[in-house]
Amino acid sequence: MIGKSVVRKLSAAFVVAGCAFVAVVALGATVYYALALVLPPLGAAAVTAGLFALIAIVVAVAFLGAAGGLADEPEEEPEGLGARAYTLFRQRPILGTVAALAGGYIFLRNPALATMVAAAFTEKSQSRRRRY
């Protein structure tokens, strides 16, 4: 069943996230106690916090740069209703979710409308190329 697969993957993701959290906390404690041997406790805490803040900044810049989040490129106008809906969900997820819920409610109230919209999404364009 599809539900069991999703639940298993979600459970595995939560377990991995929990293990990663515990590993980062343990690493922070290790760094703190190692620095506490040579620095006063307040200094060790400050250096540990600064080190983890620096690591967080470096990781954020690396991921944003790799994902293109730092580059401001003009986006092309989406073609078609499906592409516009995808762009709406990507740029404004809350508004897209509200629109989807409202659309679902309307479709439940009027199944004929749902059929018309489904036909519009699956309809092929009118301009056909001839094969020679």
Side-chain angles (χ1 to χ4, degrees), residues 27-49:
L27 177 65
T30 303
V31 169
Y32 169 76
Y33 285 118
L35 289 172
L37 294 174
V38 291
L39 294 174
L42 190 59
V47 171
T48 303

Side-chain angles (χ1 to χ4, degrees), residues 44-128:
V47 171
T48 303
L51 176 69
F52 276 83
L54 180 67
I55 290 171
I57 289 170
V58 168
V59 169
V61 168
F63 278 113
L64 285 177
L70 297 177
D72 289 333
E73 298 177 6
E75 293 186 16
E76 298 176 9
E77 185 68 27
E79 294 182 18
L81 193 59
R84 287 184 182 172
Y86 174 74
T87 304
L88 175 70
F89 275 100
R90 201 177 80 213
Q91 291 177 349
R92 296 181 181 95
I94 294 175
L95 180 63
T97 303
V98 169
L101 289 173
Y105 177 75
I106 291 170
F107 289 157
L108 285 175
R109 300 287 298 185
N110 189 355
L113 182 63
T115 305
M116 290 177 2
V117 171
F121 271 109
T122 58
E123 182 178 291
K124 295 184 179 182
S125 72
Q126 298 295 334
S127 61
R128 288 189 173 177

Side-chain angles (χ1 to χ4, degrees), residues 15-33:
V15 168
V16 169
C19 290
F21 176 75
V22 169
V24 169
V25 170
L27 177 65
T30 303
V31 169
Y32 169 76
Y33 285 118

